[in-house]
Amino acid sequence: MSLAPARSARRLPRRLLQLYVGLALYGASSAFLVRAGLGLDPWDVFHQGLAERTGWSIGTVSVAVGALVLLLWVPLRQRPGLGTVSNVFAVGLTMDATLAVLPDVHGTLAQAALLTAGIVLNGVATGLYIAARFGPGPRDGLMTGLHRRTGRSLRLVRTGIELTVLAAGVLLGGTAGVGTVAYALAIGPLSQLFLRVFALPPQTAPSPVAGSAPEPGTDTPEPGTDTSAQAPASAPAPASACG
């Protein structure tokens, strides 16, 4: 009798905890970058620019943009997971909640400290929610979908998307600056580090020979996990990992 379903059931609470703690921390870290005032990641530059134009909160804009991007998955034949849908709502809501209680900071030293804390916390959040393996965020799914449909490299597609939203965000009035550059340089290594820290241990599958011991190192996919959207832990993390 296979023990894989029992192991999967035991791991599900941890995976759910990682997913939602990670998404909540991602929203909080984005709020840190807003309050630091030194520049946001490209997608949040776009969200902030739209917020300036619409009068909506930046978190509300993030939710709306995430939902619209998710609609683009339909022609790209992408399949959302629990993490995908949760990402759309959880990040924007926790971002607004954090901004409601986090005051503005003044002075270069305080701004730099808050920026650093936000970038590191963003890396922690990315490692948590991606390692939970419930599917990519809507913006990352757009990247992988375009990669498959166009045949262009992931790096080229990612760069094109991020430069486009960054330029649009700046034109709309979003904040780009030294924080934007610092985020772009640091988030990849940080995400890679924390993906390893929070990675789930391999799940062993039983040997096909009755009564024999499981084969070490055999990783069995969790039920409901979209393995086509997951990169191995050794793959480079995306420049803007959530979204």
Side-chain angles (χ1 to χ4, degrees), residues 158-188:
R158 165 66 72 175
T159 301
I161 292 173
E162 301 234 341
L163 288 178
T164 299
V165 297
L166 176 61
V170 170
L171 291 174
L172 290 168
T175 303
V178 64
T180 308
V181 177
Y183 182 94
L185 293 175
I187 194 58

mmCIF file of all heavy atoms in Angstrom, residues 158-188:
data_model
loop_
_atom_site.group_PDB
_atom_site.id
_atom_site.type_symbol
_atom_site.label_atom_id
_atom_site.label_comp_id
_atom_site.label_asym_id
_atom_site.label_seq_id
_atom_site.Cartn_x
_atom_site.Cartn_y
_atom_site.Cartn_z
ATOM 1 N N ARG A 158 10.912 38.032 -19.815
ATOM 2 C CA ARG A 158 10.839 38.716 -18.511
ATOM 3 C C ARG A 158 11.329 40.147 -18.620
ATOM 4 O O ARG A 158 10.689 41.073 -18.120
ATOM 5 C CB ARG A 158 11.672 37.947 -17.487
ATOM 6 C CG ARG A 158 11.995 38.700 -16.214
ATOM 7 C CD ARG A 158 10.766 38.986 -15.381
ATOM 8 N NE ARG A 158 10.264 37.792 -14.754
ATOM 9 C CZ ARG A 158 9.247 37.778 -13.898
ATOM 10 N NH1 ARG A 158 8.633 38.910 -13.596
ATOM 11 N NH2 ARG A 158 8.818 36.655 -13.371
ATOM 12 N N THR A 159 12.472 40.333 -19.274
ATOM 13 C CA THR A 159 13.022 41.683 -19.407
ATOM 14 C C THR A 159 12.072 42.584 -20.181
ATOM 15 O O THR A 159 11.846 43.742 -19.794
ATOM 16 C CB THR A 159 14.385 41.625 -20.119
ATOM 17 O OG1 THR A 159 15.282 40.810 -19.358
ATOM 18 C CG2 THR A 159 14.975 43.022 -20.258
ATOM 19 N N GLY A 160 11.502 42.077 -21.269
ATOM 20 C CA GLY A 160 10.573 42.875 -22.056
ATOM 21 C C GLY A 160 9.351 43.294 -21.273
ATOM 22 O O GLY A 160 8.916 44.458 -21.325
ATOM 23 N N ILE A 161 8.776 42.358 -20.511
ATOM 24 C CA ILE A 161 7.591 42.674 -19.711
ATOM 25 C C ILE A 161 7.928 43.716 -18.655
ATOM 26 O O ILE A 161 7.212 44.717 -18.479
ATOM 27 C CB ILE A 161 7.032 41.397 -19.054
ATOM 28 C CG1 ILE A 161 6.446 40.459 -20.099
ATOM 29 C CG2 ILE A 161 5.960 41.758 -18.023
ATOM 30 C CD1 ILE A 161 6.028 39.107 -19.544
ATOM 31 N N GLU A 162 9.028 43.502 -17.942
ATOM 32 C CA GLU A 162 9.340 44.395 -16.826
ATOM 33 C C GLU A 162 9.730 45.794 -17.308
ATOM 34 O O GLU A 162 9.364 46.792 -16.686
ATOM 35 C CB GLU A 162 10.441 43.781 -15.969
ATOM 36 C CG GLU A 162 10.050 42.441 -15.407
ATOM 37 C CD GLU A 162 10.200 42.348 -13.905
ATOM 38 O OE1 GLU A 162 10.928 43.180 -13.339
ATOM 39 O OE2 GLU A 162 9.604 41.443 -13.305
ATOM 40 N N LEU A 163 10.459 45.881 -18.410
ATOM 41 C CA LEU A 163 10.788 47.201 -18.942
ATOM 42 C C LEU A 163 9.531 47.928 -19.423
ATOM 43 O O LEU A 163 9.408 49.152 -19.254
ATOM 44 C CB LEU A 163 11.799 47.074 -20.083
ATOM 45 C CG LEU A 163 13.226 46.701 -19.686
ATOM 46 C CD1 LEU A 163 14.096 46.555 -20.936
ATOM 47 C CD2 LEU A 163 13.827 47.749 -18.742
ATOM 48 N N THR A 164 8.590 47.175 -19.988
ATOM 49 C CA THR A 164 7.344 47.788 -20.463
ATOM 50 C C THR A 164 6.531 48.351 -19.312
ATOM 51 O O THR A 164 6.079 49.507 -19.351
ATOM 52 C CB THR A 164 6.506 46.756 -21.242
ATOM 53 O OG1 THR A 164 7.253 46.308 -22.382
ATOM 54 C CG2 THR A 164 5.195 47.368 -21.709
ATOM 55 N N VAL A 165 6.325 47.543 -18.253
ATOM 56 C CA VAL A 165 5.519 48.032 -17.131
ATOM 57 C C VAL A 165 6.252 49.127 -16.359
ATOM 58 O O VAL A 165 5.624 50.054 -15.833
ATOM 59 C CB VAL A 165 5.089 46.888 -16.197
ATOM 60 C CG1 VAL A 165 4.194 45.904 -16.924
ATOM 61 C CG2 VAL A 165 6.275 46.168 -15.578
ATOM 62 N N LEU A 166 7.579 49.048 -16.308
ATOM 63 C CA LEU A 166 8.343 50.093 -15.631
ATOM 64 C C LEU A 166 8.202 51.421 -16.361
ATOM 65 O O LEU A 166 7.940 52.466 -15.745
ATOM 66 C CB LEU A 166 9.816 49.688 -15.540
ATOM 67 C CG LEU A 166 10.771 50.730 -14.933
ATOM 68 C CD1 LEU A 166 10.384 51.056 -13.506
ATOM 69 C CD2 LEU A 166 12.212 50.219 -14.993
ATOM 70 N N ALA A 167 8.367 51.400 -17.682
ATOM 71 C CA ALA A 167 8.233 52.628 -18.463
ATOM 72 C C ALA A 167 6.828 53.203 -18.349
ATOM 73 O O ALA A 167 6.646 54.418 -18.166
ATOM 74 C CB ALA A 167 8.583 52.354 -19.925
ATOM 75 N N ALA A 168 5.820 52.332 -18.427
ATOM 76 C CA ALA A 168 4.441 52.797 -18.302
ATOM 77 C C ALA A 168 4.199 53.381 -16.923
ATOM 78 O O ALA A 168 3.532 54.419 -16.772
ATOM 79 C CB ALA A 168 3.474 51.649 -18.572
ATOM 80 N N GLY A 169 4.743 52.743 -15.897
ATOM 81 C CA GLY A 169 4.556 53.236 -14.540
ATOM 82 C C GLY A 169 5.198 54.593 -14.319
ATOM 83 O O GLY A 169 4.609 55.468 -13.667
ATOM 84 N N VAL A 170 6.391 54.781 -14.841
ATOM 85 C CA VAL A 170 7.066 56.080 -14.714
ATOM 86 C C VAL A 170 6.261 57.163 -15.420
ATOM 87 O O VAL A 170 6.077 58.272 -14.887
ATOM 88 C CB VAL A 170 8.499 55.997 -15.270
ATOM 89 C CG1 VAL A 170 9.119 57.387 -15.372
ATOM 90 C CG2 VAL A 170 9.358 55.092 -14.398
ATOM 91 N N LEU A 171 5.763 56.869 -16.613
ATOM 92 C CA LEU A 171 4.955 57.845 -17.346
ATOM 93 C C LEU A 171 3.666 58.195 -16.596
ATOM 94 O O LEU A 171 3.165 59.314 -16.691
ATOM 95 C CB LEU A 171 4.619 57.308 -18.738
ATOM 96 C CG LEU A 171 5.790 57.206 -19.719
ATOM 97 C CD1 LEU A 171 5.353 56.520 -21.009
ATOM 98 C CD2 LEU A 171 6.361 58.597 -20.021
ATOM 99 N N LEU A 172 3.151 57.224 -15.831
ATOM 100 C CA LEU A 172 1.921 57.459 -15.071
ATOM 101 C C LEU A 172 2.177 58.150 -13.731
ATOM 102 O O LEU A 172 1.227 58.551 -13.045
ATOM 103 C CB LEU A 172 1.204 56.127 -14.817
ATOM 104 C CG LEU A 172 0.565 55.466 -16.042
ATOM 105 C CD1 LEU A 172 0.154 54.026 -15.707
ATOM 106 C CD2 LEU A 172 -0.636 56.274 -16.521
ATOM 107 N N GLY A 173 3.440 58.268 -13.348
ATOM 108 C CA GLY A 173 3.766 58.942 -12.099
ATOM 109 C C GLY A 173 4.265 58.053 -10.990
ATOM 110 O O GLY A 173 4.382 58.488 -9.843
ATOM 111 N N GLY A 174 4.581 56.778 -11.299
ATOM 112 C CA GLY A 174 5.117 55.878 -10.291
ATOM 113 C C GLY A 174 6.548 56.227 -9.927
ATOM 114 O O GLY A 174 7.244 56.939 -10.655
ATOM 115 N N THR A 175 6.992 55.721 -8.764
ATOM 116 C CA THR A 175 8.308 56.067 -8.230
ATOM 117 C C THR A 175 9.344 55.020 -8.622
ATOM 118 O O THR A 175 9.275 53.864 -8.176
ATOM 119 C CB THR A 175 8.272 56.169 -6.696
ATOM 120 O OG1 THR A 175 7.284 57.128 -6.315
ATOM 121 C CG2 THR A 175 9.625 56.594 -6.152
ATOM 122 N N ALA A 176 10.290 55.414 -9.459
ATOM 123 C CA ALA A 176 11.440 54.576 -9.795
ATOM 124 C C ALA A 176 12.694 55.305 -9.346
ATOM 125 O O ALA A 176 12.763 56.536 -9.414
ATOM 126 C CB ALA A 176 11.493 54.295 -11.291
ATOM 127 N N GLY A 177 13.663 54.571 -8.872
ATOM 128 C CA GLY A 177 14.874 55.213 -8.389
ATOM 129 C C GLY A 177 15.904 54.189 -7.978
ATOM 130 O O GLY A 177 15.920 53.061 -8.489
ATOM 131 N N VAL A 178 16.744 54.569 -7.023
ATOM 132 C CA VAL A 178 17.814 53.676 -6.589
ATOM 133 C C VAL A 178 17.239 52.394 -5.996
ATOM 134 O O VAL A 178 17.839 51.325 -6.117
ATOM 135 C CB VAL A 178 18.725 54.402 -5.569
ATOM 136 C CG1 VAL A 178 17.954 54.764 -4.292
ATOM 137 C CG2 VAL A 178 19.947 53.561 -5.233
ATOM 138 N N GLY A 179 16.065 52.490 -5.367
ATOM 139 C CA GLY A 179 15.436 51.294 -4.822
ATOM 140 C C GLY A 179 15.045 50.306 -5.901
ATOM 141 O O GLY A 179 15.087 49.089 -5.689
ATOM 142 N N THR A 180 14.655 50.805 -7.063
ATOM 143 C CA THR A 180 14.299 49.940 -8.184
ATOM 144 C C THR A 180 15.516 49.143 -8.644
ATOM 145 O O THR A 180 15.433 47.937 -8.890
ATOM 146 C CB THR A 180 13.744 50.774 -9.347
ATOM 147 O OG1 THR A 180 12.691 51.621 -8.872
ATOM 148 C CG2 THR A 180 13.225 49.895 -10.473
ATOM 149 N N VAL A 181 16.645 49.824 -8.738
ATOM 150 C CA VAL A 181 17.888 49.161 -9.156
ATOM 151 C C VAL A 181 18.341 48.159 -8.092
ATOM 152 O O VAL A 181 18.728 47.026 -8.403
ATOM 153 C CB VAL A 181 18.989 50.209 -9.406
ATOM 154 C CG1 VAL A 181 20.311 49.523 -9.768
ATOM 155 C CG2 VAL A 181 18.567 51.165 -10.513
ATOM 156 N N ALA A 182 18.282 48.579 -6.806
ATOM 157 C CA ALA A 182 18.692 47.692 -5.719
ATOM 158 C C ALA A 182 17.833 46.431 -5.681
ATOM 159 O O ALA A 182 18.338 45.320 -5.482
ATOM 160 C CB ALA A 182 18.604 48.428 -4.379
ATOM 161 N N TYR A 183 16.530 46.611 -5.895
ATOM 162 C CA TYR A 183 15.626 45.463 -5.921
ATOM 163 C C TYR A 183 15.994 44.518 -7.058
ATOM 164 O O TYR A 183 16.078 43.289 -6.871
ATOM 165 C CB TYR A 183 14.192 45.948 -6.080
ATOM 166 C CG TYR A 183 13.159 44.844 -6.076
ATOM 167 C CD1 TYR A 183 12.519 44.475 -4.896
ATOM 168 C CD2 TYR A 183 12.823 44.159 -7.240
ATOM 169 C CE1 TYR A 183 11.584 43.452 -4.882
ATOM 170 C CE2 TYR A 183 11.891 43.141 -7.232
ATOM 171 C CZ TYR A 183 11.268 42.794 -6.054
ATOM 172 O OH TYR A 183 10.351 41.781 -6.053
ATOM 173 N N ALA A 184 16.201 45.055 -8.243
ATOM 174 C CA ALA A 184 16.519 44.228 -9.407
ATOM 175 C C ALA A 184 17.798 43.424 -9.202
ATOM 176 O O ALA A 184 17.898 42.266 -9.616
ATOM 177 C CB ALA A 184 16.640 45.106 -10.649
ATOM 178 N N LEU A 185 18.791 44.021 -8.523
ATOM 179 C CA LEU A 185 20.063 43.343 -8.314
ATOM 180 C C LEU A 185 19.995 42.312 -7.197
ATOM 181 O O LEU A 185 20.659 41.268 -7.267
ATOM 182 C CB LEU A 185 21.156 44.369 -7.986
ATOM 183 C CG LEU A 185 21.554 45.328 -9.106
ATOM 184 C CD1 LEU A 185 22.545 46.361 -8.589
ATOM 185 C CD2 LEU A 185 22.135 44.568 -10.293
ATOM 186 N N ALA A 186 19.199 42.580 -6.170
ATOM 187 C CA ALA A 186 19.227 41.742 -4.972
ATOM 188 C C ALA A 186 18.174 40.651 -4.936
ATOM 189 O O ALA A 186 18.383 39.603 -4.305
ATOM 190 C CB ALA A 186 19.068 42.627 -3.718
ATOM 191 N N ILE A 187 17.036 40.846 -5.595
ATOM 192 C CA ILE A 187 15.923 39.920 -5.378
ATOM 193 C C ILE A 187 16.208 38.519 -5.925
ATOM 194 O O ILE A 187 15.769 37.523 -5.337
ATOM 195 C CB ILE A 187 14.613 40.491 -5.978
ATOM 196 C CG1 ILE A 187 13.401 39.711 -5.453
ATOM 197 C CG2 ILE A 187 14.655 40.486 -7.495
ATOM 198 C CD1 ILE A 187 13.244 39.702 -3.961
ATOM 199 N N GLY A 188 16.954 38.407 -7.009
ATOM 200 C CA GLY A 188 17.274 37.085 -7.542
ATOM 201 C C GLY A 188 18.085 36.245 -6.559
ATOM 202 O O GLY A 188 17.664 35.147 -6.181
#
